[in-house]
Amino acid sequence: MLPAVVIAALMVSLPALAQGPDRPLAALSCGGCHGVGSAGQGPIAPLAGRPKAELVAAMTAFRRDERPGTIMGRIARGYTDAEIDAIAADLAARR
Amino acid sequence: MTTRRTFIGFIALLPLPWQAVAADDDVAAAIREATGGREPVDGGITLTLPARAENGGQVPVTVAVESPQTEALFVTAIHLVATRNPTPGIASFALTPAVARAEVTTRIRLAEDQQVIAIAELSDGTLRRAVAAARVTVGGCIS
Amino acid sequence: MSGLATPRVRIPRTVRAGEAFEVRTLMEHPMETGLRQDGGRTVARNMLARLAITVEGKPVFEAAFRNGTAANPFHVVHLRLSRTADLVFTWTDEAGRTASTTHRVTVT
Amino acid sequence: MITRRTLGLGAAALIAAPAISRAQAPLRLLVIGGGFGGASAARFARDSYPDVQVTLIEPRTRFVTCPYGNLVLAGTKQLDAITFGYDAVRARGVTVIHDLASGIDPVAKSVRLAGGQALGYDRLILSPGIALRWGAIEGYDEAAAGLLPHAWVPGDGGQTALLRRQLEAMEDGGVVGIAIPPNPFRCPPGPYERISMIASYLKKAKPRSKILALDAKEAFSKQGLFQDAWNALYPGMIEWVPGNRDGKIVKVDARERVLETEFGEKHRVAVANVIPPQSAARIAIDAGLANASGWVEVDPVTFEAKAAPGIHVIGDANTAPPMPKSGFIANSTSRQAVASAIALARGAAPPADASYFNTCYSHVGDEYGISVVGIFRPGPAGFVETPNSGGVSPRGNLPDQRRLEAIYADAWYKSITDYMFGA
């Protein structure tokens, strides 16, 4: 077992490793409906771990009203291509 | 003394050029005509309206003029003008010394973000002006 | 629509001589400017022209309305009286129809 | 990377120089308020910054959500289904203190607790919610709320339960009066969802009854959609009186259940729900953070109170138009506030390109839901709604859309409460 002072030292050295969320905060808003971690919630589709290209294509189609939906069209039109790309990349990297 | 006749006459004589399209120049021209070409001074008058109106159809506004409201010196008129409505005229009010405070609150229409101008005329012939900006919001959960 | 709506006035029944008291008025009226479109058609102009408050027949406050006055015109003013009087509130529309209400304010 | 050498240095520093070790101690993030803003902030901080010490102060051991309270009034949900504890928050590594934060010393960076304790912090997230402005409506004080419930600040759920009991006890044919405040107030569509949910109960249980909604305003959130639904689902049952037709309530007689309007009309009703004007919660006002209208103005990037940088104010206590006072906005903005707080504490820049997200669902009837969406960003003078995005559900006879939005509303509630209070 490590002595307490060593544990404290471990904690001290952690900031260098954990500078915060290395991900777009906007991606976390999806979880408000798509479940914690966007892992899906009941009838709402899981997003985490799906291919990035699929997520980008879906958002693009929602934005153009080319994919039926209730609220996703209204949401997709609020984000730029670059933001959608970053959000999709983040979600694709989650499991 | 203000008689009923002079009063009605006053209202009838209010100029109506503000019915023209409210381009900035037209608003300025309308104000010049309303003020008889005299230059109003800023100060001694406050115009209060919400910085952001949730409903442009019903925007509360208050004009308050510093005035003793005595027979010797009182506010005779307050005009409200919108700068970016389809027509700039909002309302004109005629006051007498029986109005204890030279202050009027009403609700106005604002078609979009714009400035509202209040002009007050005192019984000594001086004119005062106040300008306030309002943003009209249709957004958030209000729509 | 023939007549105008019934006006509403909130005013104290008794006041002190010479002291300011608040008067609130509300008049239901669409204040159609003739500029509004509804379903592709222009809604006809239908505006109140004026509100007048008189004390014993003498005008003390008047409002002349133009397009920027909101529907259901609402006003707050502060008046004062030296003796008990009847205050008459009269709204007149652009067709000349009127609605009126009288309130006695007792000066103590 | 942790090497033996850095470990040794750290240990040596701790032993040799306590002053330095204090400077390098874990960053202390203190969160006041365990609701949608505070509980979300605590979770995000815990998930994203394992090295930050997160403490949450919340007087209640059980949190009753405002969202879905109207379904309790409808009788389709029970209070325990919208009540949550803090065990999972604690299990995640958040220190939860059940006490009332009674004061803030922004200079000493310390929060006073009603229990007498004082807690130091490096950065403070303040999410205290709202206070009801007792007396803003003449005669409506805490005692009157025991007769005419507000059911707007759930507390222990007692107010919601009281209003439900009164609705159950009312005779068929009674009039339910609802007094609705001027803007701004918590949950703009909430009163109208409430009208809808009470109507759905009355339609089934007391079909001759009526609802008289007396509003200080002339327009409201999702108005067209609500009124379409009222006409379709509850014809003739709901009368909504706007402020410019004398809907504003200025006085109540709690014993007689009389609601009196600005122009003196007295409405005597069988059950009265009075939602009074509101302000930021008391601690924000006492700390001098609020403006003259009683709300806290904040920086649109960091959510620091303009009156006290270093205190990040989120949730309904701040004023951030055109963003609504909603649970989802509290949740969404909590992450930017926490990330900004921690970045600033470390001398770094707050996250750039912030965006804030809101979806407010309202239940209007059985399998009938509507929504408003908004995406907001910091602007030069406050917050800006993203053009050509968001907005309300389409109008018209769209039963599939309404049914799906009701189902998705339930999924939203489950998702967001799982995030705050779930394992």
Side-chain angles (χ1 to χ4, degrees), chain B residues 12-42:
Chain B
L13 283 171
L14 280 175
L16 298 172
W18 303 332
Q19 287 168 351
V21 177
D24 289 353
D25 287 352
D26 293 338
V27 172
I31 292 164
R32 271 199 304 277
E33 198 160 338
T35 56
R38 289 169 297 154
E39 186 61 17
V41 297
D42 293 322

mmCIF file of all heavy atoms in Angstrom, chain B residues 12-42:
data_model
loop_
_atom_site.group_PDB
_atom_site.id
_atom_site.type_symbol
_atom_site.label_atom_id
_atom_site.label_comp_id
_atom_site.label_asym_id
_atom_site.label_seq_id
_atom_site.Cartn_x
_atom_site.Cartn_y
_atom_site.Cartn_z
ATOM 1 N N ALA B 12 -56.060 68.612 -32.670
ATOM 2 C CA ALA B 12 -56.289 68.627 -34.112
ATOM 3 C C ALA B 12 -55.083 69.195 -34.847
ATOM 4 O O ALA B 12 -54.802 68.807 -35.966
ATOM 5 C CB ALA B 12 -57.532 69.456 -34.428
ATOM 6 N N LEU B 13 -54.373 70.108 -34.198
ATOM 7 C CA LEU B 13 -53.251 70.747 -34.863
ATOM 8 C C LEU B 13 -51.978 69.900 -34.835
ATOM 9 O O LEU B 13 -50.997 70.255 -35.459
ATOM 10 C CB LEU B 13 -52.955 72.098 -34.205
ATOM 11 C CG LEU B 13 -53.935 73.204 -34.604
ATOM 12 C CD1 LEU B 13 -53.709 74.434 -33.742
ATOM 13 C CD2 LEU B 13 -53.804 73.546 -36.085
ATOM 14 N N LEU B 14 -52.032 68.786 -34.112
ATOM 15 C CA LEU B 14 -50.819 67.976 -34.065
ATOM 16 C C LEU B 14 -50.463 67.558 -35.482
ATOM 17 O O LEU B 14 -51.298 67.048 -36.203
ATOM 18 C CB LEU B 14 -51.053 66.723 -33.221
ATOM 19 C CG LEU B 14 -50.977 66.950 -31.723
ATOM 20 C CD1 LEU B 14 -51.351 65.684 -30.992
ATOM 21 C CD2 LEU B 14 -49.582 67.390 -31.334
ATOM 22 N N PRO B 15 -49.260 67.776 -35.868
ATOM 23 C CA PRO B 15 -48.885 67.432 -37.242
ATOM 24 C C PRO B 15 -48.866 65.914 -37.438
ATOM 25 O O PRO B 15 -48.608 65.169 -36.509
ATOM 26 C CB PRO B 15 -47.478 68.015 -37.378
ATOM 27 C CG PRO B 15 -46.971 68.137 -35.986
ATOM 28 C CD PRO B 15 -48.158 68.325 -35.103
ATOM 29 N N LEU B 16 -49.163 65.480 -38.621
ATOM 30 C CA LEU B 16 -49.240 64.052 -38.891
ATOM 31 C C LEU B 16 -48.233 63.574 -39.942
ATOM 32 O O LEU B 16 -48.497 62.620 -40.638
ATOM 33 C CB LEU B 16 -50.660 63.692 -39.347
ATOM 34 C CG LEU B 16 -51.761 63.967 -38.332
ATOM 35 C CD1 LEU B 16 -53.129 63.747 -38.957
ATOM 36 C CD2 LEU B 16 -51.588 63.097 -37.101
ATOM 37 N N PRO B 17 -47.093 64.228 -40.075
ATOM 38 C CA PRO B 17 -46.177 63.780 -41.123
ATOM 39 C C PRO B 17 -45.590 62.405 -40.824
ATOM 40 O O PRO B 17 -45.043 61.764 -41.698
ATOM 41 C CB PRO B 17 -45.082 64.843 -41.113
ATOM 42 C CG PRO B 17 -45.072 65.324 -39.708
ATOM 43 C CD PRO B 17 -46.489 65.267 -39.248
ATOM 44 N N TRP B 18 -45.735 61.963 -39.578
ATOM 45 C CA TRP B 18 -45.143 60.674 -39.205
ATOM 46 C C TRP B 18 -45.843 59.506 -39.880
ATOM 47 O O TRP B 18 -45.418 58.391 -39.799
ATOM 48 C CB TRP B 18 -45.178 60.491 -37.686
ATOM 49 C CG TRP B 18 -44.491 61.588 -36.982
ATOM 50 C CD1 TRP B 18 -43.462 62.344 -37.452
ATOM 51 C CD2 TRP B 18 -44.782 62.067 -35.682
ATOM 52 N NE1 TRP B 18 -43.095 63.274 -36.528
ATOM 53 C CE2 TRP B 18 -43.886 63.127 -35.421
ATOM 54 C CE3 TRP B 18 -45.707 61.706 -34.701
ATOM 55 C CZ2 TRP B 18 -43.897 63.815 -34.222
ATOM 56 C CZ3 TRP B 18 -45.704 62.376 -33.507
ATOM 57 C CH2 TRP B 18 -44.814 63.439 -33.269
ATOM 58 N N GLN B 19 -46.973 59.802 -40.548
ATOM 59 C CA GLN B 19 -47.626 58.726 -41.271
ATOM 60 C C GLN B 19 -46.827 58.328 -42.506
ATOM 61 O O GLN B 19 -47.088 57.301 -43.107
ATOM 62 C CB GLN B 19 -49.048 59.137 -41.678
ATOM 63 C CG GLN B 19 -49.977 59.146 -40.462
ATOM 64 C CD GLN B 19 -51.296 59.803 -40.735
ATOM 65 O OE1 GLN B 19 -51.482 60.409 -41.774
ATOM 66 N NE2 GLN B 19 -52.220 59.688 -39.802
ATOM 67 N N ALA B 20 -45.869 59.129 -42.862
ATOM 68 C CA ALA B 20 -45.001 58.767 -43.979
ATOM 69 C C ALA B 20 -44.145 57.563 -43.574
ATOM 70 O O ALA B 20 -44.068 57.200 -42.412
ATOM 71 C CB ALA B 20 -44.103 59.941 -44.339
ATOM 72 N N VAL B 21 -43.536 56.940 -44.526
ATOM 73 C CA VAL B 21 -42.661 55.805 -44.237
ATOM 74 C C VAL B 21 -41.546 56.265 -43.304
ATOM 75 O O VAL B 21 -40.944 57.313 -43.502
ATOM 76 C CB VAL B 21 -42.067 55.251 -45.544
ATOM 77 C CG1 VAL B 21 -41.100 54.113 -45.244
ATOM 78 C CG2 VAL B 21 -43.179 54.772 -46.460
ATOM 79 N N ALA B 22 -41.299 55.448 -42.289
ATOM 80 C CA ALA B 22 -40.410 55.892 -41.220
ATOM 81 C C ALA B 22 -38.951 55.622 -41.540
ATOM 82 O O ALA B 22 -38.259 54.971 -40.787
ATOM 83 C CB ALA B 22 -40.800 55.240 -39.906
ATOM 84 N N ALA B 23 -38.500 56.080 -42.692
ATOM 85 C CA ALA B 23 -37.059 56.071 -42.913
ATOM 86 C C ALA B 23 -36.459 57.098 -41.960
ATOM 87 O O ALA B 23 -37.153 57.996 -41.509
ATOM 88 C CB ALA B 23 -36.744 56.424 -44.358
ATOM 89 N N ASP B 24 -35.170 56.935 -41.649
ATOM 90 C CA ASP B 24 -34.565 57.778 -40.623
ATOM 91 C C ASP B 24 -34.770 59.270 -40.913
ATOM 92 O O ASP B 24 -35.093 60.047 -40.033
ATOM 93 C CB ASP B 24 -33.079 57.466 -40.501
ATOM 94 C CG ASP B 24 -32.874 56.104 -39.874
ATOM 95 O OD1 ASP B 24 -33.861 55.503 -39.432
ATOM 96 O OD2 ASP B 24 -31.722 55.668 -39.834
ATOM 97 N N ASP B 25 -34.595 59.643 -42.169
ATOM 98 C CA ASP B 25 -34.744 61.056 -42.526
ATOM 99 C C ASP B 25 -36.175 61.531 -42.298
ATOM 100 O O ASP B 25 -36.400 62.656 -41.856
ATOM 101 C CB ASP B 25 -34.372 61.262 -44.007
ATOM 102 C CG ASP B 25 -32.871 61.164 -44.197
ATOM 103 O OD1 ASP B 25 -32.165 61.099 -43.165
ATOM 104 O OD2 ASP B 25 -32.420 61.151 -45.342
ATOM 105 N N ASP B 26 -37.132 60.649 -42.606
ATOM 106 C CA ASP B 26 -38.530 61.020 -42.424
ATOM 107 C C ASP B 26 -38.853 61.206 -40.949
ATOM 108 O O ASP B 26 -39.603 62.105 -40.580
ATOM 109 C CB ASP B 26 -39.445 59.949 -43.022
ATOM 110 C CG ASP B 26 -39.302 59.892 -44.535
ATOM 111 O OD1 ASP B 26 -38.852 60.904 -45.111
ATOM 112 O OD2 ASP B 26 -39.618 58.843 -45.114
ATOM 113 N N VAL B 27 -38.294 60.333 -40.128
ATOM 114 C CA VAL B 27 -38.517 60.469 -38.691
ATOM 115 C C VAL B 27 -37.961 61.801 -38.222
ATOM 116 O O VAL B 27 -38.634 62.559 -37.507
ATOM 117 C CB VAL B 27 -37.875 59.301 -37.912
ATOM 118 C CG1 VAL B 27 -37.941 59.552 -36.419
ATOM 119 C CG2 VAL B 27 -38.570 57.996 -38.283
ATOM 120 N N ALA B 28 -36.756 62.095 -38.657
ATOM 121 C CA ALA B 28 -36.128 63.366 -38.262
ATOM 122 C C ALA B 28 -36.960 64.549 -38.745
ATOM 123 O O ALA B 28 -37.191 65.508 -38.006
ATOM 124 C CB ALA B 28 -34.709 63.433 -38.823
ATOM 125 N N ALA B 29 -37.423 64.447 -39.984
ATOM 126 C CA ALA B 29 -38.233 65.540 -40.533
ATOM 127 C C ALA B 29 -39.533 65.683 -39.750
ATOM 128 O O ALA B 29 -39.969 66.803 -39.452
ATOM 129 C CB ALA B 29 -38.535 65.266 -42.003
ATOM 130 N N ALA B 30 -40.126 64.557 -39.417
ATOM 131 C CA ALA B 30 -41.377 64.579 -38.662
ATOM 132 C C ALA B 30 -41.176 65.251 -37.316
ATOM 133 O O ALA B 30 -42.006 66.055 -36.870
ATOM 134 C CB ALA B 30 -41.889 63.152 -38.482
ATOM 135 N N ILE B 31 -40.058 64.909 -36.693
ATOM 136 C CA ILE B 31 -39.799 65.505 -35.385
ATOM 137 C C ILE B 31 -39.589 67.009 -35.515
ATOM 138 O O ILE B 31 -40.123 67.789 -34.734
ATOM 139 C CB ILE B 31 -38.574 64.828 -34.726
ATOM 140 C CG1 ILE B 31 -38.942 63.380 -34.362
ATOM 141 C CG2 ILE B 31 -38.114 65.597 -33.497
ATOM 142 C CD1 ILE B 31 -37.761 62.509 -34.082
ATOM 143 N N ARG B 32 -38.874 67.391 -36.560
ATOM 144 C CA ARG B 32 -38.652 68.834 -36.773
ATOM 145 C C ARG B 32 -39.974 69.559 -36.950
ATOM 146 O O ARG B 32 -40.202 70.615 -36.376
ATOM 147 C CB ARG B 32 -37.760 69.056 -38.000
ATOM 148 C CG ARG B 32 -36.262 69.064 -37.678
ATOM 149 C CD ARG B 32 -35.455 69.724 -38.782
ATOM 150 N NE ARG B 32 -35.683 69.113 -40.088
ATOM 151 C CZ ARG B 32 -35.067 68.015 -40.521
ATOM 152 N NH1 ARG B 32 -34.185 67.412 -39.745
ATOM 153 N NH2 ARG B 32 -35.331 67.533 -41.719
ATOM 154 N N GLU B 33 -40.862 68.931 -37.697
ATOM 155 C CA GLU B 33 -42.152 69.569 -37.946
ATOM 156 C C GLU B 33 -42.982 69.622 -36.663
ATOM 157 O O GLU B 33 -43.632 70.619 -36.360
ATOM 158 C CB GLU B 33 -42.902 68.811 -39.041
ATOM 159 C CG GLU B 33 -44.018 69.648 -39.636
ATOM 160 C CD GLU B 33 -44.435 69.132 -41.007
ATOM 161 O OE1 GLU B 33 -43.617 68.438 -41.655
ATOM 162 O OE2 GLU B 33 -45.561 69.412 -41.405
ATOM 163 N N ALA B 34 -42.913 68.531 -35.901
ATOM 164 C CA ALA B 34 -43.677 68.475 -34.651
ATOM 165 C C ALA B 34 -43.192 69.510 -33.660
ATOM 166 O O ALA B 34 -43.954 70.007 -32.838
ATOM 167 C CB ALA B 34 -43.571 67.084 -34.051
ATOM 168 N N THR B 35 -41.910 69.817 -33.757
ATOM 169 C CA THR B 35 -41.330 70.732 -32.778
ATOM 170 C C THR B 35 -41.261 72.147 -33.323
ATOM 171 O O THR B 35 -40.650 73.010 -32.699
ATOM 172 C CB THR B 35 -39.909 70.256 -32.405
ATOM 173 O OG1 THR B 35 -39.150 70.146 -33.617
ATOM 174 C CG2 THR B 35 -39.945 68.924 -31.698
ATOM 175 N N GLY B 36 -41.839 72.341 -34.496
ATOM 176 C CA GLY B 36 -41.815 73.672 -35.088
ATOM 177 C C GLY B 36 -40.409 74.095 -35.457
ATOM 178 O O GLY B 36 -40.102 75.284 -35.504
ATOM 179 N N GLY B 37 -39.564 73.130 -35.685
ATOM 180 C CA GLY B 37 -38.209 73.431 -36.091
ATOM 181 C C GLY B 37 -37.279 73.791 -34.958
ATOM 182 O O GLY B 37 -36.088 73.935 -35.146
ATOM 183 N N ARG B 38 -37.862 73.947 -33.752
ATOM 184 C CA ARG B 38 -36.994 74.277 -32.613
ATOM 185 C C ARG B 38 -36.260 73.017 -32.160
ATOM 186 O O ARG B 38 -36.795 71.921 -32.248
ATOM 187 C CB ARG B 38 -37.830 74.836 -31.462
ATOM 188 C CG ARG B 38 -38.369 76.237 -31.732
ATOM 189 C CD ARG B 38 -39.398 76.619 -30.705
ATOM 190 N NE ARG B 38 -40.552 75.740 -30.750
ATOM 191 C CZ ARG B 38 -41.342 75.495 -29.722
ATOM 192 N NH1 ARG B 38 -41.108 76.052 -28.564
ATOM 193 N NH2 ARG B 38 -42.373 74.688 -29.852
ATOM 194 N N GLU B 39 -35.072 73.216 -31.672
ATOM 195 C CA GLU B 39 -34.260 72.070 -31.294
ATOM 196 C C GLU B 39 -34.572 71.665 -29.849
ATOM 197 O O GLU B 39 -34.396 72.457 -28.917
ATOM 198 C CB GLU B 39 -32.774 72.431 -31.427
ATOM 199 C CG GLU B 39 -31.820 71.277 -31.188
ATOM 200 C CD GLU B 39 -31.993 70.116 -32.169
ATOM 201 O OE1 GLU B 39 -32.616 70.291 -33.252
ATOM 202 O OE2 GLU B 39 -31.517 69.021 -31.849
ATOM 203 N N PRO B 40 -35.039 70.432 -29.636
ATOM 204 C CA PRO B 40 -35.249 69.989 -28.256
ATOM 205 C C PRO B 40 -33.901 69.779 -27.574
ATOM 206 O O PRO B 40 -32.904 69.510 -28.243
ATOM 207 C CB PRO B 40 -35.982 68.650 -28.407
ATOM 208 C CG PRO B 40 -36.265 68.473 -29.858
ATOM 209 C CD PRO B 40 -35.355 69.384 -30.600
ATOM 210 N N VAL B 41 -33.908 69.871 -26.268
ATOM 211 C CA VAL B 41 -32.680 69.595 -25.516
ATOM 212 C C VAL B 41 -32.833 68.259 -24.803
ATOM 213 O O VAL B 41 -33.937 67.857 -24.444
ATOM 214 C CB VAL B 41 -32.374 70.701 -24.478
ATOM 215 C CG1 VAL B 41 -32.125 72.024 -25.183
ATOM 216 C CG2 VAL B 41 -33.518 70.842 -23.474
ATOM 217 N N ASP B 42 -31.704 67.581 -24.651
ATOM 218 C CA ASP B 42 -31.718 66.322 -23.899
ATOM 219 C C ASP B 42 -31.678 66.650 -22.410
ATOM 220 O O ASP B 42 -31.124 67.660 -22.005
ATOM 221 C CB ASP B 42 -30.509 65.457 -24.280
ATOM 222 C CG ASP B 42 -30.613 64.980 -25.725
ATOM 223 O OD1 ASP B 42 -31.739 64.655 -26.157
ATOM 224 O OD2 ASP B 42 -29.581 64.946 -26.413
#
